[in-house]
Amino acid sequence: MRYEFGFEDRFDRVLTIDSRTLEARVEDGDFNAAASAITAKIVNAWRFAGGFPERMMFAS
């Protein structure tokens, strides 16, 4: 699954999660704390709902 993320109205980064392995990567190569937090929230939603969400919004 592919997700765009960033700050406020500027979603300028892309996160990809492999649905078979749950391995996550960021296109720019900078897998930082923000990417880690977003990955955890998406994977938790997947575990709860039984499928990856098409979109997800949250603020920290």
Side-chain angles (χ1 to χ4, degrees):
M1 295 298 298
R2 185 176 187 271
Y3 298 92
E4 293 179 5
F5 71 103
F7 295 102
E8 295 183 21
D9 292 336
R10 194 170 141 221
F11 299 116
D12 59 348
R13 300 185 70 201
V14 176
L15 171 73
T16 304
I17 302 174
D18 184 317
S19 61
R20 292 171 290 130
T21 64
L22 299 182
E23 181 179 340
R25 66 179 179 81
V26 182
E27 280 189 357
D28 65 10
D30 183 18
F31 197 86
N32 60 13
S36 179
I38 292 165
T39 300
K41 291 196 179 280
I42 292 170
V43 169
N44 284 337
W46 167 76
R47 287 182 175 142
F48 179 76
F52 281 98
E54 284 188 34
R55 43 179 75 189
M56 185 171 208
M57 299 275 300
F58 66 92
S60 59

